[in-house]
């Protein structure tokens, strides 16, 4: 008997690492030892593996079995290592032929069935990138695993059938299940789901225009106004204005959903931008990510390439809101825990909605408001200045008038506005692709003041605001980004003075009221 080897994948956040599984069968009393920083669920694999092998007609050796997971310094967690350890042990005992570079990712049931695991898509992506395209997974994970380009996926329902295909001779078992070969899968985008339509919003022409600008440039937005003004309705209709995700973005979004167990098994790439709307009682771990051991992705990561909507924003804990400042700048969340560090992509559009005061009646003349000035400042002050400075569009949403209800049916629907947004995105991509960027919201200040620098006459109003201290340097850049988006929507090659003025008005509208 020699040393048996197989391969699996360990996930740290969304990053996967190839793990080599070594198995050795000694000459001492029966025992089963797993080495290489296994967690509790992985240590329990010893009993699952023995029972699954016995009930599959290929019992394991009664001698001491040692399984070593390399690299030993990398934390391993979860039940996805069950199948790789089993195949390495069977190879060490000579029960199956050479495995080669095949990667095995599945949990084992006591009856020998292969069960699906969470995070199969990022695991297969990591294996293919590392040069291991041959993948064996549970049949329920086969379609999701095959979404990765270049992966040669085989799905099995039972350990007996898998071992038989690798040269074993399971005793007294009927091999009813054939493997599923899924070298290719349908990667067409998700059919457009039924989404709220923008024509449902009565009036609010200024807010509708601001929503279109936000969608076209990927800008963050704050909507302030009294209850019932339509802030939530507007935010919920933003995802419908966004274009379908490209292949790379769709793969990222689907991988996060797989890891977060949002769906049991993907059958195609997620093409529509996600929409996350957590309750204001959500904790920092729920928004940013967390949990015992290595942290799992939170709402901010699940909203990657989509929209994160925080309704009643001042009701959130301030530390939760301030924790969003990092991903708003970098597009990534890095979470440190004692068990390791996990990095998740989090490039989302942040939409905040807030009442002007605790009672919500401080809009317009504010005659019905019962809040003191101190109460108003304290309430809205829960959203920190540094966070607000990162929000491009800050808009006051007024109550809907009776005349707005009388003009029902005159508003544009989502399809018409989405076409203009798509055209503006195409103009941005043509201009920014050579710089490795996609939308105006991603353009750094060095480019805005370098290759995309506007004439001093065009930016005079911004220069004056910066000199007077009414606009920060970060705000200066964000107004320029808004101006470029307005120019793209207006089919202009570069922003003019009017675009700069409109952009400045969109940023300072809430502060001016």
């Amino acid at each position: 008997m020699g040393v048996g080897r197989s391969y699996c994948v360990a996930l740290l956040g969304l990053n996967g690492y190839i793990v080599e599984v070594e198995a050795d069968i000694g000459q001492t009393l029966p025992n089963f030892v797993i080495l290489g920083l296994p967690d509790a669920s992985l240590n329990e694999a010893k009993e699952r593996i023995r029972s699954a092998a016995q009930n599959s007609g290929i019992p394991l050796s009664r001698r001491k079995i040692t399984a070593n997971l390399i690299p030993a310094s990398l934390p391993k967690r979860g039940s996805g290592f069950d199948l790789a350890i089993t195949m390495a042990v069977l190879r060490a005992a000579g029960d199956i032929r050479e495995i080669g570079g095949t990667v095995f990712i599945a949990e084992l049931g006591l009856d020998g069935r292969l069960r699906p695991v969470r995070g199969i898509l990022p695991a297969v992506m990591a294996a293919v990138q590392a040069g291991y395209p041959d993948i064996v997974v549970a049949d329920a994970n086969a379609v999701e695993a095959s979404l990765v380009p270049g992966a040669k996926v085989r799905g099995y329902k039972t350990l007996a059938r898998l071992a038989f295909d690798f040269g074993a001779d399971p005793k007294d078992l009927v091999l009813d299940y054939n493997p599923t070969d899924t070298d290719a899968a349908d990667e067409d985008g998700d059919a457009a789901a039924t989404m709220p339509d923008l024509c449902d919003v009565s009036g609010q022409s200024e807010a509708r225009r601001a929503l279109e600008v936000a969608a076209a440039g990927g800008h963050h937005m704050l909507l302030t106004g009294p209850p019932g003004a339509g802030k939530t309705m507007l935010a919920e209709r933003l995802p419908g204005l966004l274009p379908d995700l490209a292949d790379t973005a769709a793969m990222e979004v689907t991988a996060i959903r797989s890891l977060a167990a949002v769906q049991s098994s993907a059958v195609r790439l997620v093409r529509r931008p996600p929409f996350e709307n957590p309750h204001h009682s959500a904790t920092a771990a729920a928004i940013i990510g967390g949990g015992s051991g290595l942290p799992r992705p939170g709402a901010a990561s699940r909203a990657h390439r989509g929209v994160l909507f925080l309704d009643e924003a001042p009701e959130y804990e301030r530390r939760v809101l301030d924790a969003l400042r990092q991903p708003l700048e970098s597009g990534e969340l890095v979470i440190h825990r004692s068990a390791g560090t996990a990095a998740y992509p989090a490039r989302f559009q942040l939409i905040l909605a807030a009442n002007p005061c605790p009672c919500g009646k401080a809009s317009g003349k504010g005659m019905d408001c019962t809040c003191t000035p101190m109460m108003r400042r304290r309430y809205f002050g829960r959203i920190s200045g540094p966070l607000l400075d990162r929000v491009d569009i800050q808009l006051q949403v007024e109550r809907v008038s009776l005349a707005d209800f009388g003009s029902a049916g005159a508003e544009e629907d989502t399809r018409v506005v989405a076409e203009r947004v798509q055209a503006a995105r195409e103009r941005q991509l043509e201009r920014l692709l050579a710089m490795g960027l996609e939308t105006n919201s991603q353009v750094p200040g060095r480019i805005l003041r370098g290759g995309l620098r506007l004439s001093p006459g065009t930016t005079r109003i911004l220069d004056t605001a910066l000199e007077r201290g009414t606009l920060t340097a970060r705000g200066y850049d964000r107004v320029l980004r808004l101006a470029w988006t307005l120019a793209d929507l207006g089919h202009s090659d570069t922003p003019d003075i009017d675009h700069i003025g409109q952009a400045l008005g969109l940023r300072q509208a809430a502060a001016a009221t």
Side-chain angles (χ1 to χ4, degrees):
M1 298 182 183
V3 175
R5 288 184 173 83
S6 66
Y7 297 91
C8 195
V9 177
L11 289 174
L12 292 181
L14 207 60
N15 298 320
Y17 303 89
I18 287 292
V19 173
E20 181 180 348
V21 182
E22 292 181 331
D24 177 71
I25 299 179
Q27 301 298 320
T28 56
L29 295 176
N31 195 8
F32 200 146
V33 180
I34 298 179
L35 308 175
L37 287 184
D39 70 344
S41 61
L42 180 50
N43 253 323
E44 294 172 350
K46 296 179 288 188
E47 301 305 322
R48 289 196 299 269
I49 290 172
R50 279 200 181 278
S51 296
Q54 179 70 38
N55 293 325
S56 298
I58 42 176
L60 301 185
S61 171
R62 301 302 300 172
R63 300 182 184 275
K64 180 179 180 180
I65 298 174
T66 303
N68 184 33
L69 310 182
I70 304 172
S73 59
L74 183 69
K76 289 88 176 176
R77 60 194 300 267
S79 56
F81 292 87
D82 289 6
L83 187 57
I85 295 174
T86 304
M87 298 301 286
V89 172
L90 293 177
R91 175 56 189 162
D95 292 333
I96 61 173
R97 57 176 170 80
E98 184 62 40
I99 292 171
T102 304
V103 175
F104 300 90
I105 310 172
E107 178 184 330
L108 286 177
L110 298 184
D111 57 357
R113 283 184 291 179
L114 271 59
R115 300 184 178 276
V117 295
R118 189 178 68 237
I120 196 70
L121 188 61
V124 174
M125 290 170 61
V128 172
Q129 291 170 3
Y132 294 82
D134 295 319
I135 315 290
V136 171
V137 298
D139 187 73
N141 279 146
V143 175
E144 180 180 343
S146 67
L147 295 176
V148 180
K152 303 174 182 177
V153 179
R154 286 177 289 170
Y156 286 86
K157 292 186 177 180
T158 65
L159 174 62
R161 179 71 206 195
L162 172 61
F164 176 80
D165 285 357
F166 275 86
D169 184 19
K171 306 298 183 183
D172 303 324
L173 285 180
V174 179
L175 304 174
D176 330 62
Y177 301 116
N178 293 320
T180 302
D181 292 315
T182 54
D183 290 336
D186 180 14
E187 295 189 12
D188 291 340
D190 288 347
T194 302
M195 303 185 70
D197 199 290
L198 194 58
C199 66
D200 297 334
V201 180
S202 299
Q204 302 294 7
S205 58
E206 185 178 1
R208 292 164 61 94
R209 174 62 174 172
L211 197 71
E212 180 179 343
V213 174
H219 302 288
H220 310 304
M221 183 164 60
L222 166 66
L223 299 172
T224 307
K231 303 185 297 295
T232 302
M233 287 186 68
L234 288 164
E236 290 176 343
R237 281 147 181 80
L238 177 58
L241 303 181
L242 302 177
D244 287 345
L245 300 176
D247 291 344
T248 301
M251 188 68 71
E252 293 173 355
V253 172
T254 310
I256 293 173
R257 293 174 66 87
S258 173
L259 188 63
V262 175
Q263 53 197 47
S264 57
S265 185
V267 296
R268 59 177 62 88
L269 294 179
V270 177
R271 293 291 183 180
R272 293 302 305 155
F275 179 77
E276 290 290 327
N277 181 15
H279 192 261
H280 60 75
S281 63
T283 63
I287 301 294
I288 304 302
S292 59
L294 289 173
R296 293 176 59 185
S301 293
R302 296 196 302 272
H304 178 60
R305 302 286 185 173
V307 177
L308 176 63
F309 175 47
L310 302 184
D311 200 3
E312 305 294 343
E315 299 294 344
Y316 287 82
E317 293 185 23
R318 179 160 179 167
R319 67 186 185 93
V320 174
L321 294 176
D322 284 343
L324 296 173
R325 286 152 58 179
Q326 177 200 2
L328 288 181
E329 292 291 339
S330 64
E332 184 181 47
L333 273 167
V334 182
I335 307 172
H336 297 267
R337 294 291 187 270
S338 59
T341 300
Y344 296 107
R347 189 172 298 281
F348 53 83
Q349 276 187 258
L350 177 65
I351 308 298
L352 302 172
N355 294 327
C357 66
C359 74
K361 299 178 181 179
S363 62
K365 296 182 179 180
M367 301 298 292
D368 298 328
C369 179
T370 59
C371 303
T372 65
M374 181 60 71
M375 291 172 62
R376 297 178 188 177
R377 286 195 296 268
R378 185 182 298 116
Y379 176 77
F380 207 80
R382 297 175 187 175
I383 306 177
S384 67
L387 177 61
L388 282 177
D389 202 31
R390 290 169 167 83
V391 178
D392 304 350
I393 301 174
Q394 301 178 23
L395 188 70
Q396 178 74 21
V397 182
E398 299 296 344
R399 294 184 184 274
V400 180
S401 66
L402 181 61
D404 293 327
F405 281 107
S407 62
E411 294 84 0
E412 292 180 314
D413 61 18
T414 293
R415 180 185 58 81
V416 174
V417 180
E419 290 176 356
R420 293 201 298 266
V421 169
Q422 178 66 37
R425 287 282 184 112
E426 291 172 357
R427 291 178 66 88
Q428 294 170 56
L429 192 60
E430 182 180 355
R431 180 175 63 249
L432 302 175
L433 185 59
M435 308 174 194
L437 305 171
E438 298 176 359
T439 60
N440 290 326
S441 62
Q442 301 172 3
V443 181
R446 59 179 177 80
I447 295 179
L448 291 170
R449 295 184 296 274
L452 298 180
R453 188 180 185 89
L454 302 178
S455 65
T458 304
T459 60
R460 183 177 296 112
I461 186 174
L462 291 184
D463 298 337
T464 302
L466 183 64
E467 185 69 22
R468 292 177 177 176
T470 59
L471 195 66
T472 64
R474 180 189 289 119
Y476 187 102
D477 290 341
R478 291 188 176 275
V479 172
L480 288 177
R481 294 168 185 166
L482 275 174
W484 276 102
T485 300
L486 289 166
D488 289 329
L489 285 169
H491 303 282
S492 299
D493 293 333
T494 57
D496 55 25
I497 296 177
D498 289 339
H499 293 137
I500 295 291
Q502 293 177 44
L504 190 60
L506 285 173
R507 180 169 178 81
Q508 297 181 335
T513 57

